[in-house]
Amino acid sequence: MINKKSPIPVYYQLEEDIKCKIEQGVWQVGQCISSERELAEEYGVSRMTVRQSLGELVQDGILVREKGRGTFVCKPKVKQRDMMSFSEVIAKSGRTLKTKIIEFQIIDRPSEYDDIFKFSKLYKINRLRIVDEDIVANEIVYIPCEYCGVVTENMLEGSLFKMLKSLGFDIKSSDASIVAVNMNEKYRKIFKVNNDVPLLRTKSKFFTSDDTVIYVEDSVYRSDKYVLEVNIAKRDAKIK
């Protein structure tokens, strides 16, 4: 299982084998894996190597350490690739998604959106996205009332992509910024956690095929529960 003559570092080989065992169901979600001593004996490596491998897997959100108890298999992260509906991502993963609306109102257009929307009234939608009982995301969305007509809270419990498509708007692209943000008391209350979990914030504009901004979204995700995979392609440019 471990080839010490390979140019691939031993700790990385060990990481991959542990991940393989998790994928094969040798260790289930929530189950405590073998101890550092047991893994060192099983693979014929030092405990320092085992500790390094486990540390990398903890950093990746695959394992979690609990003081005095051991190292456990985490629930897999929600993986979103490029522009996809969050509802669609969860549906494809076979997991359970709930949406809780915590704010829904019509507001005057904030000045920061003067250059984005020409309409004066916007729907403000603040909702929590709950995956398998964990609050994974807090989404705040702004949509011009003129685009949607009458909207009810029931309409907002599913995919906004689908709702807008039913109204004749087909989303074709998005423009987003992604930054890490620090945990604070506000986010502890939102995500219902006591510890400092890592957070990821995205600010996005969503466009129709004629480059109309249909809505903007300001979202915060638990990055220990969520991964955004972005495909970046090189564009040809003319050199002057």
Side-chain angles (χ1 to χ4, degrees), residues 115-132:
D115 295 333
I116 298 175
F117 299 121
K118 62 181 180 180
F119 303 107
S120 60
K121 297 293 183 180
L122 307 178
Y123 283 117
K124 180 182 179 182
I125 304 157
N126 187 343
R127 58 187 193 165
L128 302 178
R129 310 290 263 170
I130 305 166
V131 181
D132 295 340

Side-chain angles (χ1 to χ4, degrees), residues 24-41:
Q24 292 174 348
V26 175
W27 292 310
Q28 304 283 338
V29 171
Q31 183 178 352
C32 184
I33 69 169
S34 301
S35 68
E36 287 184 4
R37 179 184 57 78
E38 290 169 336
L39 289 170
E41 292 176 356

Side-chain angles (χ1 to χ4, degrees), residues 58 132 157 176:
V58 168
D132 295 340
E157 293 179 352

Side-chain angles (χ1 to χ4, degrees), residues 3-234:
N3 181 1
K4 295 183 178 179
K5 295 182 179 180
S6 171
I8 300 173
V10 171
Y11 81 89
Y12 184 79
Q13 294 183 55
L14 179 55
E15 278 182 56
E16 292 301 301
D17 200 67
I18 291 173
K19 286 195 288 187
C20 184
K21 285 184 175 179
I22 293 171
E23 290 169 1
Q24 292 174 348
V26 175
W27 292 310
Q28 304 283 338
V29 171
Q31 183 178 352
C32 184
I33 69 169
S34 301
S35 68
E36 287 184 4
R37 179 184 57 78
E38 290 169 336
L39 289 170
E41 292 176 356
E42 178 182 352
Y43 288 94
V45 297
S46 68
R47 290 187 65 169
M48 183 178 296
T49 297
V50 172
R51 194 169 294 120
Q52 182 179 4
S53 299
L54 296 183
E56 294 289 335
L57 294 171
V58 168
Q59 186 70 28
D60 290 342
I62 295 171
L63 298 174
V64 62
R65 286 194 177 106
E66 295 188 13
K67 190 173 181 179
R69 296 189 64 218
T71 304
F72 296 79
V73 180
C74 293
K75 291 181 181 178
K77 291 186 179 183
V78 175
K79 289 188 177 182
Q80 180 168 346
R81 175 166 295 179
D82 294 322
M83 192 187 75
M84 291 179 67
S85 159
F86 192 84
S87 300
E88 180 185 359
V89 171
I90 303 304
K92 286 187 175 181
S93 71
R95 301 169 73 178
T96 302
L97 173 65
K98 296 178 183 177
T99 300
K100 181 179 180 181
I101 311 298
I102 57 177
E103 183 183 1
F104 175 47
Q105 61 178 321
I106 295 174
I107 64 169
D108 293 326
R109 182 185 64 218
S111 58
E112 63 185 295
Y113 297 133
D114 286 348
D115 295 333
I116 298 175
F117 299 121
K118 62 181 180 180
F119 303 107
S120 60
K121 297 293 183 180
L122 307 178
Y123 283 117
K124 180 182 179 182
I125 304 157
N126 187 343
R127 58 187 193 165
L128 302 178
R129 310 290 263 170
I130 305 166
V131 181
D132 295 340
E133 307 304 324
D134 291 322
I135 300 172
V136 173
N138 175 217
E139 301 174 346
I140 302 177
V141 174
Y142 299 90
I143 309 175
C145 299
E146 284 82 352
Y147 288 159
C148 304
V150 178
V151 173
T152 65
E153 287 197 17
N154 288 339
M155 296 169 66
L156 304 174
E157 293 179 352
S159 166
L160 288 182
F161 280 27
K162 286 186 177 180
M163 184 194 81
L164 291 168
K165 190 168 185 178
S166 71
L167 297 171
F169 298 102
D170 197 8
I171 298 171
K172 294 296 185 181
S173 62
S174 67
D175 183 8
S177 64
I178 307 170
V179 296
V181 293
N182 293 325
M183 174 63 75
N184 57 29
E185 193 59 32
K186 169 189 170 182
Y187 291 131
R188 286 191 185 93
K189 290 180 180 178
I190 288 174
F191 291 99
K192 296 184 179 180
V193 295
N194 296 319
N195 54 323
D196 290 343
V197 299
L199 301 174
L200 188 69
R201 184 176 185 179
T202 65
K203 291 188 175 183
S204 309
K205 292 183 288 188
F206 291 85
F207 300 86
T208 59
S209 56
D210 62 357
D211 289 331
T212 298
V213 179
I214 185 65
Y215 73 91
V216 296
E217 180 180 302
D218 187 352
S219 297
V220 177
Y221 299 89
R222 285 185 57 170
S223 64
D224 62 332
K225 303 286 185 182
Y226 171 88
V227 176
L228 176 60
E229 297 179 340
V230 180
N231 178 24
I232 300 175
K234 181 179 179 182

